[in-house]
Amino acid sequence: MNNWTKRWDDRYSSEEFAYGEEPNNYLKEQLEKLSPGTVLFPAEGEGRNAVFAAKLGWKVSAFDISEEGKNKAIKLAETNNVSIDYQVGELETLNFQPGQFDALALIYAHFPAAIKSEIHKQLDQLLREDGIIIFEAFSKKHLEYLAINEKVGGPKDIESLFSIEEIKSDFPNYEIIKLEEKEIELNEGLFHNGTGSVIRFIGRKK
């Protein structure tokens, strides 16, 4: 097992949910505006967002590299009387099809810096034309917030964080409905607490 996988298995192996059991606020607000269809949650961890989408009637697929994350997600789905298709592995090893999804939900999906743009391009292939991306993750400016308060969480290296320019470059074939850098308050479980800086992106695939 590599260090990256071990890190997430360790984080998700405790009884308590690392980022809580409630969905991310921005995801909740955006998903509730859309008619349910098929949605993919990359790097979904313990399943809070996927389970929320399933409760709204979405057909939910999710993946992560952490077996411990999957175990918690399946348990959370059972508690909420919904089912989700949750796979463990690297994206290229999974059996998703081009154009399979109506929506992509990238919520704090901080992939390792060296591969994050490549993964975005692979994920783009899985979204149908006119499909929607919902994205929230820490911005490069977030390091300033992290220096003041470690409890807000997020990657500690600038390359793993996002900029508006990167999002435009990774998702060039999208109508931008919203793309902004924003200071927000986070209160999500044990590891996202306090003021942080995020990039938010809503895009429709052309």
Side-chain angles (χ1 to χ4, degrees), residues 4 110-113 116 138 140 155 157-162:
W4 184 252
H110 286 277
F111 296 100
K116 65 179 188 174
F138 291 117
K140 293 195 185 298
D157 62 305
I158 198 151
E159 291 79 19
S160 294
L161 300 165
F162 294 98

Side-chain angles (χ1 to χ4, degrees), residues 92-131:
E92 58 274 14
T93 68
L94 307 176
N95 58 0
F96 300 121
Q97 300 304 311
Q100 183 177 342
F101 297 101
D102 300 313
L104 268 181
L106 285 154
I107 304 297
Y108 297 95
H110 286 277
F111 296 100
I115 59 169
K116 65 179 188 174
S117 284
E118 184 49 43
I119 290 192
H120 281 169
K121 287 167 183 153
Q122 290 173 19
L123 288 169
D124 165 61
Q125 301 294 309
L126 305 178
L127 189 64
R128 68 166 171 80
E129 201 177 301
D130 270 346

Side-chain angles (χ1 to χ4, degrees), residues 42-59:
E44 176 51 7
E46 298 166 316
R48 64 195 175 106
N49 296 312
V51 166
F52 172 75
K55 285 165 74 176
L56 287 182
W58 288 80
K59 184 173 187 231

Side-chain angles (χ1 to χ4, degrees), residues 27-180:
L27 172 85
K28 180 175 188 291
E29 181 188 301
Q30 297 303 322
L31 266 192
E32 285 173 341
K33 294 178 187 172
L34 301 172
S35 301
T38 50
V39 60
L40 177 63
F41 287 87
E44 176 51 7
E46 298 166 316
R48 64 195 175 106
N49 296 312
V51 166
F52 172 75
K55 285 165 74 176
L56 287 182
W58 288 80
K59 184 173 187 231
V60 177
S61 297
F63 71 90
D64 201 282
I65 51 167
S66 170
E67 200 67 57
E68 295 287 350
K70 176 183 178 175
N71 294 341
K72 294 270 274 291
I74 297 301
K75 221 179 274 182
L76 188 63
E78 285 168 359
T79 306
N80 284 277
N81 298 313
V82 292
S83 68
I84 57 177
D85 166 42
Y86 195 123
Q87 300 183 43
V88 174
E90 308 279 348
L91 177 57
E92 58 274 14
T93 68
L94 307 176
N95 58 0
F96 300 121
Q97 300 304 311
Q100 183 177 342
F101 297 101
D102 300 313
L104 268 181
L106 285 154
I107 304 297
Y108 297 95
H110 286 277
F111 296 100
I115 59 169
K116 65 179 188 174
S117 284
E118 184 49 43
I119 290 192
H120 281 169
K121 287 167 183 153
Q122 290 173 19
L123 288 169
D124 165 61
Q125 301 294 309
L126 305 178
L127 189 64
R128 68 166 171 80
E129 201 177 301
D130 270 346
I132 296 282
I133 278 187
I134 303 168
F135 178 102
E136 180 175 278
F138 291 117
S139 78
K140 293 195 185 298
K141 194 178 172 190
H142 182 67
L143 286 182
E144 297 167 25
Y145 294 82
L146 199 51
I148 297 164
N149 170 27
E150 284 238 319
K151 288 196 169 72
V152 71
K156 295 183 170 69
D157 62 305
I158 198 151
E159 291 79 19
S160 294
L161 300 165
F162 294 98
S163 67
I164 283 176
E165 291 67 34
E166 275 181 342
I167 295 300
K168 282 182 175 169
S169 157
D170 286 358
F171 300 106
N173 53 330
Y174 284 73
E175 174 201 340
I176 295 171
I177 297 166
K178 173 165 279 190
L179 179 55
E180 62 178 353

Side-chain angles (χ1 to χ4, degrees), residues 13-33:
S13 61
S14 69
E15 192 61 32
E16 210 165 336
F17 279 71
Y19 302 102
E21 296 178 38
E22 294 301 313
N24 168 267
N25 287 335
Y26 191 60
L27 172 85
K28 180 175 188 291
E29 181 188 301
Q30 297 303 322
L31 266 192
E32 285 173 341
K33 294 178 187 172

